[in-house]
Amino acid sequence: MIRTSEPGGPADRLTPVLRPVRAGNGFEEALEQILQVVRLGLVPDGERLPAERELAERMGISRVTLREVLKVLQEQGLVESRRGRYGGTFVLPRPQDPDEAELRRRIAAVDMEDALRFREVLEVGAAGLCAAHGLDAAGAERLRAALAATHDAPLADYRRQDTLLHLTLAELSGSPSLTARYAAVRATVNDLLDCIPLLVRNLEHSQHQHTALVEAVLEGDADAAREVAREHCAGTAALLRGFLA
């Protein structure tokens, strides 16, 4: 049974995304946030979302509104509801090999250049902030653990762990606004990444960059952290442009 209140569990992973919504757009903003949770892989395929009461409280909406949101996600094939003692709302696996029509839909829905540039600005900024301001012991340990998870991840889970590493860095920057905007743009970038193959050579290079980035942050070298983050984003952008432009 999943306990969402445990440190490091699903509830903690959702902190960068779930936040109180504005009264006028409760349904729309709640839908956006839970879509981000699913698209970022913050709750892995096959695992359960936090309980309705917890989700509703964290976003400041009624459970009626939340159920309307979950109904939309079910209709889109993103989650399913299960009854019984171990029931709840579970994230469904996304297709591993989108068909051509789905690829065209995803690409057409995104201004790729805008998303890639905005991602770079946010990642470079977050890296610089973390290095310049320094991390406390708990923050440093979180960053090391997120890096280790990318090294240990099987190929099928690599992109999710990669996302969690970068989201951790954004959260540790100390700016909730930056974190929220990074979560949004990263969800868009992930939709594009799902359209291209995982290349072992690229993943090896990314891992070297991840290690250099974390080392620069922990050493307080803001210039180096920003430069590594910029190079890392440029590598991803080059792949996406090559496959999709």
Side-chain angles (χ1 to χ4, degrees):
M1 180 174 181
I2 297 173
R3 297 181 58 178
T4 58
S5 59
E6 291 180 356
D12 291 334
R13 293 199 300 264
L14 307 191
T15 298
V17 174
L18 294 185
R19 57 198 178 276
V21 303
R22 291 171 292 186
N25 295 311
F27 170 80
E28 291 81 4
E29 291 189 16
L31 179 60
E32 176 188 22
Q33 290 185 31
I34 299 183
L35 275 170
Q36 286 180 13
V37 166
V38 173
R39 292 163 69 196
L40 290 168
L42 300 184
V43 175
D45 293 348
E47 289 195 14
R48 187 178 62 191
L49 292 173
E52 287 185 4
R53 181 176 65 182
E54 179 181 345
L55 286 173
E57 288 176 353
R58 293 181 72 165
M59 292 185 287
I61 59 175
S62 70
R63 292 178 71 172
V64 171
T65 297
L66 176 63
R67 285 167 184 161
E68 292 174 346
V69 168
L70 296 178
K71 181 180 179 182
V72 170
L73 297 180
Q74 289 182 59
E75 291 171 347
Q76 295 300 309
L78 298 174
V79 302
E80 71 174 4
S81 178
R82 301 177 192 168
R83 297 178 179 272
R85 181 179 179 185
Y86 300 110
T89 302
F90 291 78
V91 176
L92 293 174
R94 299 185 73 187
Q96 293 298 309
D97 298 304
D99 59 29
E100 186 175 348
E102 173 64 9
L103 294 180
R104 285 199 299 268
R105 185 195 66 77
R106 292 187 192 180
I107 296 167
V110 174
D111 183 335
M112 186 168 70
E113 288 301 324
D114 179 66
L116 293 175
R117 289 170 184 168
F118 191 39
R119 178 210 179 188
E120 179 179 334
V121 167
L122 295 177
E123 288 209 17
V124 171
L129 285 171
C130 287
H133 295 168
L135 302 179
D136 60 18
E141 180 56 31
R142 281 186 60 197
L143 191 58
R144 290 191 187 98
L147 175 64
T150 65
H151 286 295
D152 297 337
L155 195 61
D157 196 41
Y158 178 80
R159 280 186 177 149
R160 189 177 73 86
Q161 295 298 341
D162 175 49
T163 296
L164 292 174
L165 170 61
H166 288 285
L167 198 57
T168 297
L169 194 64
E171 189 178 3
L172 292 173
S173 73
S175 170
S177 295
L178 185 155
T179 304
R181 284 162 178 77
Y182 180 72
V185 76
R186 181 64 193 230
T188 297
V189 171
N190 279 4
D191 273 350
L192 296 173
L193 287 171
D194 285 343
C195 298
I196 70 174
L198 283 165
L199 305 176
V200 173
R201 179 66 183 88
N202 168 250
L203 298 188
E204 291 172 348
H205 185 216
S206 291
Q207 284 300 87
H208 288 307
Q209 291 177 326
H210 285 157
T211 300
L213 175 59
V214 170
E215 288 176 352
V217 168
L218 296 179
E219 291 170 2
D221 190 338
D223 288 340
R226 284 191 289 264
E227 185 57 29
V228 175
R230 186 175 292 108
E231 289 180 359
H232 184 62
C233 290
T236 302
L239 280 182
L240 287 172
R241 291 184 185 115
F243 275 102
L244 305 179

